[in-house]
Amino acid sequence: MARLHRHQLVHLTPAAWERLRTIARDPVERDCLTLWASRGLPLVVTQQRCDAGGDPALIAMGMSAPLRWESRRIGVSVARHEVMFFDEFPAARTVSRLLPAPARAAWDVLCRAASACGVQPRVYGSYGWQALSTMVHVRADSDADLWIGVTDADQADQVATLMAAAEIPGLRLDGELVFEGDNAVSWREWLTWRAGGVRSILVKSIGGSRLVTDLGEIVRDVKAAA
């Protein structure tokens, strides 16, 4: 059984799509789901609320619709047996064609630098959805959201510093560092916290969010990572 994590994509069975369409809340939601099903597009795992009365046999997931539907967010619940397979958002290096032309060279440099750090950034948010759907999700003021899997605090420091130093013309970078165990932190907040600018940092997972003061609550092997 696949372990769920933040930003994980899910491809559903035809029967699951048909069920979701029949229980859609309104015509707009039904149209979105119908289009997603017809194109074989994925949904994304969202926060799981089993601790708040949710059914642990179900997976909470959703989608962000294209601009034609005003970026409407749709949330659904799906049983494990309705999942065909799990996937991930596209690697950042594969989506440069979606960026404003002045940003592409610097973006490619950033992707190569990240690879040299031993990580592969993935694009989520509006750019990630546009790469998947080929429909328009990106607004003129959209950030480029990256999630980056890291193994320890040293690598997180290196990657966050790289992100902060990157200058991408006409594009603002944002996103998360995701540690093993699905502990995710904003790379901007990570830099401030590690520098002693704040006492605690917000850590997110698919189970919820919490404020953390101890590195050992984020990184499993804190001795190796400190």
Side-chain angles (χ1 to χ4, degrees):
M1 182 180 294
R3 181 174 182 174
L4 303 179
H5 63 78
R6 285 177 63 76
H7 312 305
Q8 187 175 25
L9 298 181
V10 186
H11 288 264
L12 302 182
T13 64
W17 282 120
E18 183 58 31
R19 180 182 67 80
L20 293 177
R21 288 197 298 268
T22 62
I23 62 173
R25 296 171 180 82
D26 55 48
V28 171
E29 182 168 304
R30 185 175 298 107
D31 285 348
C32 291
L33 294 173
T34 298
L35 179 61
W36 242 240
S38 69
R39 296 194 177 187
L41 295 170
L43 301 178
V44 65
V45 172
T46 58
Q47 184 173 320
Q48 308 299 298
R49 300 303 301 270
C50 296
D51 59 337
D55 186 342
L58 299 177
I59 304 173
M61 58 186 71
M63 58 174 281
S64 179
L67 295 186
R68 62 190 281 191
W69 285 300
E70 300 181 344
S71 303
R72 181 168 177 174
R73 295 184 182 276
I74 297 173
V76 299
S77 294
V78 174
R80 287 268 181 176
H81 72 267
E82 294 180 305
V83 174
M84 287 200 302
F85 63 92
F86 294 94
D87 203 353
E88 302 293 349
F89 273 103
R93 58 181 170 75
T94 68
V95 303
S96 62
R97 70 190 186 283
L98 300 181
L99 305 178
R104 294 171 188 169
W107 180 268
D108 291 340
V109 170
L110 174 63
C111 292
R112 289 195 296 270
S115 180
C117 293
V119 298
Q120 176 171 256
R122 292 186 178 275
V123 181
Y124 65 103
S126 57
Y127 278 99
W129 283 115
Q130 186 156 315
L132 291 169
S133 74
T134 69
M135 292 177 280
V136 179
H137 293 255
V138 175
R139 301 179 185 274
D141 60 349
S142 292
D143 293 344
D145 296 308
L146 302 175
W147 79 262
I148 307 169
V150 292
T151 58
D152 56 40
D154 287 341
Q155 189 176 55
D157 291 342
Q158 186 179 15
V159 171
T161 300
L162 174 66
M163 296 290 290
E167 295 184 3
I168 313 293
L171 195 63
R172 182 181 184 273
L173 296 177
D174 205 356
E176 297 180 342
L177 306 171
V178 182
F179 292 83
E180 294 181 14
D182 193 42
N183 287 323
V185 300
S186 159
W187 60 263
R188 294 180 187 277
E189 294 178 12
W190 173 265
L191 286 174
T192 301
W193 184 60
R194 291 285 277 173
V198 292
R199 294 186 59 186
S200 60
I201 187 170
L202 183 66
V203 178
K204 299 178 181 180
S205 70
I206 60 168
S209 303
R210 65 193 190 280
L211 286 173
V212 166
T213 59
D214 181 8
L215 180 63
E217 294 186 47
I218 303 174
V219 184
R220 286 180 173 179
D221 188 356
V222 67
K223 292 182 179 180

